[in-house]
Amino acid sequence: MNSTRRIWIKAPLATLDSDCAGGVVIENQLITEVLASGAQPAEPVDEVFDASQHVMLPGLVNSHHHFYQTLTRAFPQALNKPLFPWLKSLYPVWAKLGEEMIEVSTQVALAELLLSGCTTASDHHYLFPRGLENAIDIQMAQAELLGVRVHLTRGSMSLGEEDGGLPPQSTVQDEDTILDDSERLIQRYHDPDAGAMSRIALAPCSPFSVSESLMTASATLAEKYDVRLHTHLAETHDETDFCIQMFGLRPLDYLEKVGWLSDRVWLAHGIHFDEDEIRRLGEAGTGISHCPTSNMLLASGLCPTLDLERAGSPVGLGVDGSASNDGSNMIQEVRQAFLLGRLRYAASEITHQKVLSWATEGSARCLGRDDLGALKVGMQADIALFKLDELRFAGAGDPLAALVLCGAHQADRVMVAGRWRVIDGRIEGFDLNALIERQKKLARRLAL
């Protein structure tokens, strides 16, 4: 797009924000006008897209994922197990990951996310067996290929089975290697500016797979470079028991001890917190990525989303890994959050608007982005447009509610940074069938 091109996405059928009922005008990669119903752009436009048959949302933001796990969906040895046995059955398989597997699985995850209306994705990659030291570099190249914004986290595991951790020794690295590579990736890929297409965060995997010294050193490095911190926390009762046995502390107390209780941090899952811990998280401004499908599949529990939000914590949504979800579909994850939330809170509190806000503005806040997640002037032109012409929507009354209640699963059009990346339900310039065949072949090889 040249420097003067202006696009008007005109008069959508429905929006998350009623202020833009007349649509939005985009110039370069920014939203420059938000129009009320019946209003016209202040200046001429170069392109008009009639959105009268589309529900318009800010691009969805996925705040937690493991792209590589798309290779082990519905993996036989991992079925019907809670988190720790599930991990133990999969770690030896994941230890065999290679470069092509990272390339293809990243494309699969990003393509699935993009087709579901997701424009920004955070990935937590923490496996670096010998020969896979450049995994994050490979992921960055795939994100650029697909035109998706990414917040890639340099994950790590330093505590193997020999030291009382869960992962096999072949998947762990020493602390100096982890910290040196973290610094390299920040310097090469992290863009702190508004509109950034790539950012780096530091993400020791979990309290049961890294040492206390690595947690502390990661926090120090993150402060030095002003990047964010991410980890799994309070996902299961087993984790709580592990932390008490290993460190003599509950997970949140351990997090505070290593300098992680701050607004620089967002946590995956956040299920098993007591009332005082929720208060402390809120006061610190620590974010929570709610992963409903994964929590249900592994029988981990229900995240206290509204309690955390009321306390002051940003709450976002994540699809989590495709081996504890078996999918990477953000709009379906919104529906899961809606249904699961209704088991804990009143129907009047868990609304379709609320869960959509978690998938947009809430996730953006978790990632430290104030330029994403809303259809407002000055925000990035990341937009998802959904049609309601499938059988599942026949007879639906409220178009916005229908996306969630009737189970939307694919966007018709998706724009990232002012560029159409999905048109008529297809990713521009991308051979999806060829990708599927490559993924199936590599998954079979990994399972051997």
Side-chain angles (χ1 to χ4, degrees):
M1 185 185 300
N2 62 45
S3 60
T4 59
R5 189 163 182 80
R6 287 163 52 83
I7 301 173
W8 178 16
I9 300 178
K10 180 181 178 180
L13 178 64
T15 68
L16 186 55
D17 188 339
S18 60
D19 289 346
C20 55
V24 295
V25 177
I26 293 138
E27 186 169 346
N28 296 332
Q29 62 185 66
L30 295 177
I31 296 173
T32 56
E33 287 185 71
V34 171
L35 302 173
S37 180
Q40 297 285 316
E43 298 177 13
V45 298
D46 302 289
E47 178 185 336
V48 178
F49 177 76
D50 179 0
S52 59
Q53 302 301 311
H54 294 79
V55 178
M56 181 171 69
L57 300 178
L60 305 181
V61 179
N62 178 35
S63 57
H64 183 67
H65 205 336
H66 307 290
F67 294 164
Y68 72 88
Q69 290 184 15
T70 59
L71 287 160
T72 50
R73 305 183 205 251
F75 198 76
Q77 288 74 30
L79 296 175
N80 307 320
K81 293 179 179 178
L83 179 64
F84 278 20
W86 177 85
L87 282 170
K88 292 285 281 185
S89 67
L90 283 165
Y91 274 144
V93 180
W94 295 337
K96 298 183 291 182
L97 287 168
E99 291 187 354
E100 186 184 7
M101 292 174 180
I102 295 299
E103 173 192 327
V104 173
S105 61
T106 298
Q107 286 186 27
V108 167
L110 289 175
E112 192 173 1
L113 287 167
L114 192 57
L115 288 167
S116 68
C118 177
T119 54
T120 300
S122 178
D123 187 61
H124 188 181
H125 188 85
Y126 50 80
L127 281 153
F128 297 87
R130 187 177 299 275
L132 199 59
E133 290 81 6
N134 62 339
I136 305 296
D137 303 84
I138 295 170
Q139 289 186 315
M140 278 293 183
Q142 310 323 304
E144 186 175 356
L145 175 71
L146 279 145
V148 181
R149 291 184 200 277
V150 287
H151 282 230
L152 299 186
T153 71
R154 205 302 180 178
S156 53
M157 297 194 294
S158 65
L159 202 65
E161 289 173 315
E162 295 176 3
D163 304 305
L166 286 185
Q169 291 302 124
S170 63
T171 64
V172 303
Q173 294 178 302
D174 66 78
E175 294 182 17
D176 287 342
T177 298
I178 291 165
L179 293 169
D180 287 348
D181 192 53
S182 297
E183 195 160 15
R184 176 188 73 84
L185 290 166
I186 293 168
Q187 292 174 344
R188 180 167 182 181
Y189 295 112
H190 184 72
D191 180 357
D193 296 334
M197 293 296 290
S198 67
R199 287 190 181 172
I200 294 289
L202 304 184
C205 182
S206 62
F208 48 82
S209 57
V210 298
S211 65
E212 183 175 330
S213 58
L214 182 60
M215 290 290 287
T216 303
S218 296
T220 300
L221 190 62
E223 185 172 2
K224 175 183 176 180
Y225 285 102
D226 193 22
V227 300
R228 296 183 76 74
L229 291 163
H230 183 53
T231 193
H232 300 92
L233 201 80
E235 184 175 358
T236 66
H237 290 301
D238 285 347
E239 179 193 323
T240 302
D241 295 341
F242 179 93
C243 285
I244 291 171
Q245 292 170 13
M246 192 78 167
F247 310 115
L249 297 167
R250 284 176 57 83
L252 190 69
D253 296 325
Y254 174 70
L255 198 76
E256 186 169 26
K257 179 184 179 183
V258 295
W260 277 58
L261 189 56
S262 78
D263 60 3
R264 188 186 298 282
V265 176
W266 88 102
L267 306 170
H269 304 296
I271 298 169
H272 299 290
F273 294 125
D274 61 30
E275 288 185 9
D276 182 63
E277 289 169 339
I278 290 171
R279 176 190 59 79
R280 289 159 60 196
L281 284 160
E283 288 178 353
T286 302
I288 304 294
S289 176
H290 176 36
C291 304
T293 301
S294 174
N295 297 162
M296 295 164 74
L297 189 143
L298 295 174
S300 300
L302 280 72
C303 176
T305 50
L306 293 185
D307 299 70
L308 287 158
E309 197 171 48
R310 289 164 183 157
S313 289
V315 172
L317 285 188
V319 300
D320 200 8
S322 289
S324 64
N325 178 328
D326 304 295
S328 307
N329 190 303
M330 266 302 286
I331 194 63
Q332 288 187 344
E333 202 67 33
V334 174
R335 187 171 192 266
Q336 290 284 53
F338 176 82
L339 295 173
L340 187 61
R342 288 279 177 98
L343 294 181
R344 188 179 188 114
Y345 299 104
S348 60
E349 295 178 308
I350 298 291
T351 65
H352 61 278
Q353 296 98 330
K354 170 57 70 177
V355 291
L356 284 166
S357 78
W358 291 342
T360 52
E361 186 178 10
S363 284
R365 288 183 62 203
C366 283
L367 300 183
R369 299 293 293 252
D370 59 7
D371 57 341
L372 307 176
L375 300 173
K376 299 183 183 300
V377 172
M379 303 293 278
Q380 290 293 303
D382 292 4
I383 296 169
L385 296 163
F386 294 84
K387 277 189 172 181
L388 304 181
D389 56 357
E390 298 174 70
L391 183 61
R392 71 184 67 228
F393 299 115
D398 184 311
L400 183 65
L403 287 186
V404 179
L405 275 66
C406 301
H409 69 282
Q410 184 163 332
D412 181 63
R413 283 216 172 205
V414 180
M415 174 180 281
V416 185
R419 293 177 57 219
W420 290 117
R421 295 303 304 126
V422 174
I423 295 177
D424 298 331
R426 296 183 180 183
I427 300 173
E428 286 289 277
F430 200 71
D431 187 340
L432 205 58
N433 289 328
L435 176 62
I436 291 169
E437 290 308 310
R438 288 185 74 193
Q439 174 84 341
K440 288 161 64 176
K441 178 181 177 181
L442 292 168
R444 286 193 296 267
R445 183 191 304 170
L446 188 63
L448 293 176

